[in-house]
Amino acid sequence: MTTAELPTIDPIAEAIAVADQYTEPEPALEGEPTAAKDILIIDYSGDLEKVWATMILASTSAAMGVKTRVFVTFWGLQVFVKDSKRITGENWMQKMLSFMQRPGISHRKLSKMNFMGMGPWMMGVLAKKYGVASPKELLEAAQALGVEFIPCQMTMDMFGLKREDMIDGMSEPVGAATVIGLISENSIPLFI
Amino acid sequence: MTTAELPTIDPIAEAIAVADQYTEPEPALEGEPTAAKDILIIDYSGDLEKVWATMILASTSAAMGVKTRVFVTFWGLQVFVKDSKRITGENWMQKMLSFMQRPGISHRKLSKMNFMGMGPWMMGVLAKKYGVASPKELLEAAQALGVEFIPCQMTMDMFGLKREDMIDGMSEPVGAATVIGLISENSIPLFI
Amino acid sequence: MTTAELPTIDPIAEAIAVADQYTEPEPALEGEPTAAKDILIIDYSGDLEKVWATMILASTSAAMGVKTRVFVTFWGLQVFVKDSKRITGENWMQKMLSFMQRPGISHRKLSKMNFMGMGPWMMGVLAKKYGVASPKELLEAAQALGVEFIPCQMTMDMFGLKREDMIDGMSEPVGAATVIGLISENSIPLFI
């Protein structure tokens, strides 16, 4: 198989197509549908497979018209550093942490079966072959569809990350109180 | 201790007994109980301890009369491949992935302290000693109690899994849109 | 930087201050606020970063007046063994498990970049530098603010843990049925 044989992917169209599959209501659903709910993903992990899950759920949710927010914190925040950045942070400890684990959505590793990058490479090839968009493509789709990506202020401080280190289009950093506020109102949380 | 001294376990009776413990209402519960809710477990991990958590919560929930669905995706889907299958997939990459990490609920590893299988073996012995059913027994109980196990279509495609590779009694594969649809209606999600 | 330069931290005041940041309502929040909800954290992991997330969310939530419960189970239960205990359990397998992974909130490891303890040490220094309380300080704050920490009976049995092994102030051990009961009533679950 050569790259030329791989299908081209339009992730926004794909997210909308995935959402459009959901035309028929679930037959077995009991209970009254309640007021429209928001979805709040707490994106805690920087592992490739978890980032993928976050992006698939967020872009699908937004394509279905559900208000969707993603709070990115701890390892998860490293994913939203620009791919072009190599070393981040202000003091040697922060610089060392970024050196040991390269930030950016295109440099994620699997939590298992990473095999020096062979696992992620195989996942990428299989995803392309079966028409699944990459995490980066899904992130762009999610942003285009209106998903809010909200950085954790405390993580920004601890890792010495600055706004100019992060990808464009993120919301203002907030703290845990905003997360609890959203949950105790109408947001359904998914801790990924 | 010999195997002969270990208690025999009937996981359905156990799940029902666990559920029956919950006869007395929680004293400190404030607020009006709202309409009956469903539970939707998103089973993302193939690690032994996470599979155990999924099966205990799903079988208990069903035994308490709560409509319970488990969406099995990514590493979690490997758990539902038949124990007898060794290599799955259609191309060499998919075959290699299944070879590197043996699928099937009886071949799960701990995410830590695995020690070449000694950790899971000790967990198994301790579980039996204290009357806790194995993940496989709990899966059978959950199915008997009406839990729906729903495979993720995208994962089926990426790993080259076919319906005949999977255990009996699973639902039709669906996509992320069905998950979001359930959450935005009346299902409480647990991402495990 | 010497330890003398580090700020002193009052975690209860900090949790309340974090909560007080949330004075202004979120501008983009749609939908009617529904009845007050409880928060139920299922604390499954013993990893330093997950314990930190649990403690930050629980103490902030309680400081905001939200009824907050933390069900501690599997690896998560090891965190609530007294720091002074070294070996726990009644039989050799249980003793060996506690020997291989030291229990207690002050002995947590990172799930990645642990580097023989250097990662957790750097995290600790950075946290102090930026005024973030340690997991242990946050636990004390959470207890002072009324968070209920509820041990899992099944995990107590499997690991051979006794009430006198655990920190003071924990609730009576319960099982999965209580967790499902809370979720199916009014508690929003976070599986961490």
Side-chain angles (χ1 to χ4, degrees):
Chain A
M1 186 177 60
T2 68
T3 312
E5 295 168 32
L6 298 175
T8 54
I9 295 168
D10 173 351
I12 298 185
E14 191 196 345
I16 291 170
V18 167
D20 282 349
Q21 286 175 12
Y22 188 69
T23 43
E24 291 162 66
E26 285 286 294
L29 215 65
E30 292 106 20
E32 291 290 302
T34 54
K37 285 165 191 153
D38 303 339
I39 287 182
L40 171 67
I41 296 174
I42 302 175
D43 180 15
Y44 198 79
S45 165
D47 295 331
L48 172 58
E49 61 264 52
K50 292 284 186 79
V51 174
W52 224 328
T54 297
M55 294 305 165
I56 289 169
L57 289 172
S59 59
T60 303
S61 172
M64 290 172 77
V66 179
K67 174 75 193 165
T68 307
R69 296 178 184 87
V70 182
F71 178 72
V72 288
T73 180
F74 219 78
W75 305 122
L77 192 61
Q78 321 302 314
V79 178
F80 293 85
V81 171
K82 285 173 187 149
D83 270 341
S84 58
K85 292 270 169 184
R86 186 62 193 86
I87 303 290
T88 56
E90 290 169 336
N91 58 47
W92 71 266
M93 279 195 223
Q94 294 166 337
K95 286 181 173 136
M96 189 160 173
L97 287 168
S98 73
F99 175 74
M100 299 307 293
Q101 186 176 54
R102 180 164 188 171
I105 196 164
S106 300
H107 309 115
R108 298 299 89 210
K109 293 176 182 172
L110 288 169
S111 73
K112 59 185 65 178
M113 303 218 292
N114 196 64
F115 301 134
M116 310 286 290
M118 197 172 76
W121 171 77
M122 291 204 298
M123 289 289 163
V125 174
L126 291 172
K128 275 221 183 88
K129 185 169 159 65
Y130 294 100
V132 178
S134 73
K136 183 166 190 167
E137 292 166 322
L138 288 165
L139 167 58
E140 285 159 14
Q143 287 192 312
L145 290 161
V147 175
E148 275 182 54
F149 291 93
I150 310 168
C152 167
Q153 182 66 62
M154 190 183 288
T155 308
M156 298 279 284
D157 292 345
M158 274 183 66
F159 287 93
L161 294 170
K162 293 182 288 289
R163 293 303 296 272
E164 61 263 31
D165 293 327
M166 313 306 292
I167 62 165
D168 294 332
M170 297 192 82
S171 306
E172 287 296 310
V174 302
T178 302
V179 172
I180 298 293
L182 286 166
I183 295 173
S184 63
E185 286 180 57
N186 213 22
S187 285
I188 303 294
L190 281 168
F191 191 101
I192 294 187
Chain B
M1 186 179 58
T2 66
T3 312
E5 295 167 33
L6 299 175
T8 53
I9 296 168
D10 173 351
I12 298 186
E14 191 195 345
I16 291 170
V18 167
D20 282 349
Q21 285 176 13
Y22 188 68
T23 43
E24 291 163 64
E26 284 288 292
L29 215 65
E30 292 106 21
E32 292 289 303
T34 52
K37 284 164 192 153
D38 302 340
I39 286 182
L40 172 66
I41 296 175
I42 302 174
D43 180 15
Y44 198 80
S45 166
D47 296 331
L48 172 59
E49 61 264 53
K50 293 284 186 80
V51 174
W52 224 328
T54 297
M55 294 304 164
I56 289 169
L57 289 173
S59 58
T60 303
S61 172
M64 290 172 78
V66 179
K67 173 74 194 165
T68 308
R69 294 177 185 88
V70 182
F71 179 71
V72 289
T73 180
F74 219 77
W75 305 122
L77 192 61
Q78 320 303 314
V79 177
F80 294 85
V81 171
K82 284 174 188 148
D83 270 340
S84 58
K85 293 268 169 187
R86 185 61 193 88
I87 303 291
T88 56
E90 289 168 337
N91 59 47
W92 72 266
M93 279 195 222
Q94 293 166 338
K95 286 182 175 138
M96 190 161 172
L97 287 168
S98 73
F99 175 74
M100 299 308 292
Q101 187 177 54
R102 179 164 187 170
I105 195 165
S106 300
H107 309 115
R108 298 298 90 209
K109 295 176 181 172
L110 287 169
S111 73
K112 59 184 65 176
M113 303 217 292
N114 196 64
F115 301 134
M116 310 287 289
M118 198 172 75
W121 172 77
M122 290 205 298
M123 290 290 162
V125 174
L126 291 173
K128 274 221 184 88
K129 185 169 159 63
Y130 294 100
V132 179
S134 73
K136 182 167 190 168
E137 291 166 324
L138 288 165
L139 166 59
E140 284 159 14
Q143 287 191 312
L145 289 161
V147 175
E148 276 181 54
F149 291 93
I150 310 168
C152 167
Q153 181 66 62
M154 190 184 288
T155 308
M156 298 279 285
D157 292 345
M158 274 184 66
F159 287 93
L161 293 170
K162 294 182 288 289
R163 293 303 297 273
E164 62 262 31
D165 294 327
M166 314 306 291
I167 62 165
D168 294 332
M170 298 192 82
S171 306
E172 287 296 310
V174 302
T178 301
V179 172
I180 299 293
L182 287 166
I183 295 172
S184 64
E185 285 179 57
N186 213 24
S187 285
I188 303 293
L190 282 167
F191 191 101
I192 296 187
Chain C
M1 185 178 59
T2 67
T3 313
E5 294 168 34
L6 299 175
T8 54
I9 296 168
D10 174 352
I12 297 186
E14 191 196 345
I16 291 170
V18 166
D20 282 348
Q21 284 176 12
Y22 188 67
T23 43
E24 292 161 66
E26 285 287 292
L29 215 65
E30 293 105 20
E32 290 290 302
T34 53
K37 284 164 192 154
D38 302 340
I39 287 182
L40 172 67
I41 296 175
I42 301 174
D43 180 14
Y44 199 80
S45 166
D47 296 331
L48 172 58
E49 62 263 53
K50 294 284 185 79
V51 174
W52 224 327
T54 297
M55 294 305 164
I56 289 169
L57 289 172
S59 59
T60 303
S61 171
M64 291 172 77
V66 179
K67 173 75 194 164
T68 308
R69 293 177 186 89
V70 182
F71 178 71
V72 289
T73 181
F74 219 78
W75 305 123
L77 192 62
Q78 321 303 314
V79 178
F80 294 85
V81 171
K82 285 173 186 149
D83 269 341
S84 58
K85 292 269 168 184
R86 185 62 193 85
I87 303 290
T88 55
E90 290 169 336
N91 58 47
W92 70 266
M93 279 195 221
Q94 294 166 337
K95 286 182 174 137
M96 190 161 173
L97 287 167
S98 73
F99 175 75
M100 299 307 294
Q101 187 176 54
R102 179 162 188 170
I105 195 165
S106 300
H107 308 116
R108 298 298 91 210
K109 295 176 180 172
L110 287 169
S111 72
K112 59 185 66 178
M113 304 218 291
N114 196 64
F115 301 134
M116 309 287 290
M118 197 172 76
W121 172 76
M122 291 204 299
M123 290 289 161
V125 175
L126 291 172
K128 274 220 185 89
K129 186 169 157 65
Y130 294 101
V132 178
S134 73
K136 182 167 191 167
E137 291 166 324
L138 288 165
L139 167 59
E140 284 158 15
Q143 286 191 313
L145 290 161
V147 175
E148 275 182 55
F149 291 92
I150 310 168
C152 167
Q153 181 66 63
M154 191 184 287
T155 308
M156 298 279 284
D157 292 343
M158 273 184 67
F159 287 93
L161 293 169
K162 293 182 287 289
R163 292 302 297 272
E164 61 263 31
D165 293 327
M166 314 306 293
I167 63 166
D168 293 333
M170 297 193 82
S171 306
E172 287 295 311
V174 301
T178 301
V179 172
I180 299 293
L182 287 166
I183 295 172
S184 64
E185 285 179 56
N186 213 23
S187 286
I188 303 294
L190 281 168
F191 191 102
I192 296 187

Short mmCIF file of all heavy atoms in Angstrom, two decimals, chain C residues 24 49 78-79 81 87 94 104 106 133-134 145 162 168 173:
data_model
loop_
_atom_site.label_atom_id
_atom_site.label_comp_id
_atom_site.label_asym_id
_atom_site.label_seq_id
_atom_site.Cartn_x
_atom_site.Cartn_y
_atom_site.Cartn_z
N GLU C 24 -18.37 35.29 38.93
CA GLU C 24 -19.14 35.67 37.75
C GLU C 24 -19.67 34.45 37.05
O GLU C 24 -18.93 33.50 36.81
CB GLU C 24 -18.26 36.48 36.80
CG GLU C 24 -17.90 37.84 37.37
CD GLU C 24 -16.70 38.43 36.68
OE1 GLU C 24 -16.84 38.74 35.49
OE2 GLU C 24 -15.65 38.55 37.32
N GLU C 49 -0.62 11.97 39.72
CA GLU C 49 -1.34 13.02 38.99
C GLU C 49 -2.85 12.87 39.12
O GLU C 49 -3.59 13.86 39.18
CB GLU C 49 -0.89 13.09 37.53
CG GLU C 49 -1.14 11.85 36.70
CD GLU C 49 0.09 10.95 36.61
OE1 GLU C 49 0.63 10.61 37.68
OE2 GLU C 49 0.48 10.58 35.50
N GLN C 78 -5.18 2.48 48.20
CA GLN C 78 -3.83 2.47 48.79
C GLN C 78 -3.43 3.89 49.25
O GLN C 78 -2.62 4.04 50.16
CB GLN C 78 -2.77 1.98 47.79
CG GLN C 78 -3.20 0.82 46.90
CD GLN C 78 -3.63 -0.39 47.66
OE1 GLN C 78 -2.97 -0.79 48.60
NE2 GLN C 78 -4.77 -0.95 47.30
N VAL C 79 -3.98 4.88 48.57
CA VAL C 79 -3.64 6.29 48.86
C VAL C 79 -4.08 6.67 50.27
O VAL C 79 -3.48 7.55 50.90
CB VAL C 79 -4.33 7.19 47.83
CG1 VAL C 79 -4.06 8.66 48.11
CG2 VAL C 79 -3.92 6.81 46.41
N VAL C 81 -4.24 4.67 52.92
CA VAL C 81 -3.53 4.00 54.01
C VAL C 81 -2.64 5.05 54.68
O VAL C 81 -2.11 5.93 54.01
CB VAL C 81 -2.69 2.82 53.46
CG1 VAL C 81 -1.77 2.24 54.52
CG2 VAL C 81 -3.61 1.74 52.89
N ILE C 87 4.01 -2.13 55.49
CA ILE C 87 3.49 -3.39 54.96
C ILE C 87 2.07 -3.58 55.49
O ILE C 87 1.83 -3.46 56.70
CB ILE C 87 4.35 -4.59 55.41
CG1 ILE C 87 5.80 -4.39 54.98
CG2 ILE C 87 3.81 -5.91 54.87
CD1 ILE C 87 6.06 -4.49 53.50
N GLN C 94 -0.94 -10.41 49.98
CA GLN C 94 -1.33 -9.04 50.29
C GLN C 94 -0.12 -8.24 50.78
O GLN C 94 0.06 -7.08 50.40
CB GLN C 94 -2.43 -9.05 51.35
CG GLN C 94 -3.73 -9.66 50.84
CD GLN C 94 -4.72 -9.98 51.95
OE1 GLN C 94 -4.34 -10.15 53.11
NE2 GLN C 94 -5.99 -10.08 51.58
N GLY C 104 0.03 5.00 50.92
CA GLY C 104 0.11 6.31 51.58
C GLY C 104 0.17 7.46 50.58
O GLY C 104 0.82 7.37 49.55
N SER C 106 1.65 10.27 50.63
CA SER C 106 2.94 10.94 50.42
C SER C 106 3.91 10.10 49.59
O SER C 106 5.04 10.53 49.35
CB SER C 106 3.57 11.29 51.76
OG SER C 106 2.72 12.15 52.49
N ALA C 133 -1.17 23.55 46.49
CA ALA C 133 -1.02 22.69 47.66
C ALA C 133 -0.72 21.25 47.25
O ALA C 133 -1.11 20.81 46.17
CB ALA C 133 -2.30 22.74 48.50
N SER C 134 -0.05 20.52 48.11
CA SER C 134 0.27 19.11 47.84
C SER C 134 -0.99 18.26 47.99
O SER C 134 -1.97 18.69 48.62
CB SER C 134 1.33 18.63 48.82
OG SER C 134 0.74 18.46 50.10
N LEU C 145 -13.44 20.54 54.88
CA LEU C 145 -14.57 21.16 54.18
C LEU C 145 -15.75 20.20 54.04
O LEU C 145 -16.77 20.55 53.43
CB LEU C 145 -14.12 21.64 52.80
CG LEU C 145 -13.18 22.85 52.78
CD1 LEU C 145 -12.44 22.94 51.44
CD2 LEU C 145 -13.93 24.15 53.05
N LYS C 162 -7.32 -3.13 57.01
CA LYS C 162 -8.21 -2.99 58.17
C LYS C 162 -8.44 -1.50 58.44
O LYS C 162 -7.66 -0.66 58.01
CB LYS C 162 -7.59 -3.68 59.38
CG LYS C 162 -7.51 -5.21 59.21
CD LYS C 162 -6.94 -5.91 60.42
CE LYS C 162 -5.45 -5.68 60.55
NZ LYS C 162 -4.61 -6.36 59.55
N ASP C 168 -7.61 8.61 59.49
CA ASP C 168 -8.80 8.91 60.30
C ASP C 168 -9.85 9.66 59.47
O ASP C 168 -9.52 10.33 58.50
CB ASP C 168 -8.40 9.77 61.50
CG ASP C 168 -7.51 8.99 62.47
OD1 ASP C 168 -7.63 7.74 62.51
OD2 ASP C 168 -6.69 9.63 63.16
N PRO C 173 -17.02 1.51 55.03
CA PRO C 173 -16.87 0.91 53.69
C PRO C 173 -18.22 0.50 53.10
O PRO C 173 -19.09 0.03 53.83
CB PRO C 173 -16.00 -0.32 53.94
CG PRO C 173 -15.34 -0.09 55.26
CD PRO C 173 -16.29 0.75 56.06
#
